[in-house]
């Protein structure tokens, strides 16, 4: 019997396999060598002559399976990139518009400009008005060449008005204004299709919000049932079957 040196790590694995299969290590080695020789054509079942002829025959080497090539990802078409850039630009425009809408009311007016302080060398004029005189037609006279005037702008406050057909307009003054059928509401509407507390109006900065209070027949705008809406001047809101128009006006 010939002796073959086996690497230590292979021998340890062989001992574990021998214990699990209850087969002697030598038998496992012989089986492995026989299987390998048979796969490559060096051992053929039959006579000794057939085995010798098989040994003389060239070995059959099993070629490895080719590794499939993974195609590289195709770049995005130009049209898709242009569409993505258009979406990003549109989002930026919407955010800029929203920033203008939510500015506080005080930011709408130009800050007052302090009048210039006259130099010591300038003559002091007393007893004369600096307000330009008015003509008989009510138009101010043209300022002399080189004169300067300071114009002060003042922001006008906004108010919300409620209009109903056959009723006087109502100015919403409260921070929270409730509309419904119940006597506790700020505006009582005697209708079976209006809930006891149907909607509430509130103000947030320069915007006015309308909130449905879980009404049975709903609150509608343009045939669409709404729960919360930021009111715009001219909005027609229907409570059950009662229509009302909201107007935002400066005062």
């Amino acid at each position: 019997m010939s002796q073959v040196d086996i690497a230590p790590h292979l021998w340890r694995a062989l001992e574990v396999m021998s214990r699990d299969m209850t087969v002697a290590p030598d038998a496992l080695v012989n089986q492995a060598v026989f299987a390998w020789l048979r796969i490559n054509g060096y051992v053929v079942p039959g006579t000794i002559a057939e085995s010798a002829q098989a040994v003389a025959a060239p070995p059959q080497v099993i070629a490895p399976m080719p590794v499939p090539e993974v195609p590289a990802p195709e770049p995005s078409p130009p049209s898709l990139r242009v569409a993505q850039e258009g979406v990003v630009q549109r989002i930026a425009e919407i955010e800029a518009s929203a920033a203008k809408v939510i500015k506080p009311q005080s930011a709408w007016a130009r800050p007052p400009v302090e009048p210039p302080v006259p130099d010591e060398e300038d003559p002091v004029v007393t007893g004369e008005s600096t307000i330009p005189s008015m003509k008989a037609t009510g138009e101010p006279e043209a300022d002399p060449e080189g004169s300067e005037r300071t114009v002060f702008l003042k922001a006008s406050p906004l108010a919300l008005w409620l209009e109903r057909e056959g009723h006087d307009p109502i100015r919403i003054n409260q921070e929270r204004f409730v509309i419904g059928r119940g006597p506790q509401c700020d505006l009582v509407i005697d209708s079976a299709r209006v809930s006891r507390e149907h909607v509430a109006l509130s103000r947030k900065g320069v915007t006015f919000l309308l909130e449905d209070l879980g009404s049975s027949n709903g609150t509608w705008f343009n045939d669409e049932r709404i729960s919360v809406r930021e009111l715009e001047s001219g909005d027609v809101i229907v409570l059950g079957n009662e229509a009302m128009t909201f107007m935002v006006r400066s005062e």
Side-chain angles (χ1 to χ4, degrees), residues 117-129:
V117 179
D119 297 334
E120 295 181 357
E121 299 179 357
D122 294 342
V124 178
V125 180
T126 59
E128 296 182 2
S129 174

Side-chain angles (χ1 to χ4, degrees), residues 91-135:
I91 292 176
E93 294 175 356
I94 294 174
E95 292 178 350
S97 300
K100 294 180 180 179
V101 173
I102 64 176
K103 285 197 307 182
Q105 183 177 353
S106 59
W108 293 3
R110 293 174 54 188
V113 180
E114 295 293 337
V117 179
D119 297 334
E120 295 181 357
E121 299 179 357
D122 294 342
V124 178
V125 180
T126 59
E128 296 182 2
S129 174
T130 58
I131 302 177
S133 59
M134 302 294 292
K135 295 181 181 179

Side-chain angles (χ1 to χ4, degrees), residues 136-189:
T137 58
E139 297 180 356
E141 294 181 357
D143 295 335
E145 184 178 358
S147 64
E148 295 182 358
R149 290 189 304 169
T150 302
V151 179
F152 296 93
L153 299 180
K154 183 178 179 181
S156 301
L158 299 179
L160 179 66
W161 289 80
L162 186 154
E163 299 178 357
R164 296 171 59 201
E165 186 176 358
H167 298 78
D168 294 333
I170 300 175
R171 186 181 187 277
I172 309 300
N173 297 317
Q174 296 91 322
E175 292 295 328
R176 180 178 172 84
F177 189 90
V178 180
I179 304 174
R181 193 179 72 251
Q184 74 279 8
C185 296
D186 299 297
L187 174 60
V188 179
I189 299 179

Side-chain angles (χ1 to χ4, degrees), residues 15 17 19 61 98 101 107 125 128 144 148 175 192 197 207 225:
E15 288 180 341
M17 183 178 180
R19 290 195 301 270
V61 180
V101 173
V125 180
E128 296 182 2
E148 295 182 358
E175 292 295 328
E197 291 188 355
T207 61
R225 187 166 184 168

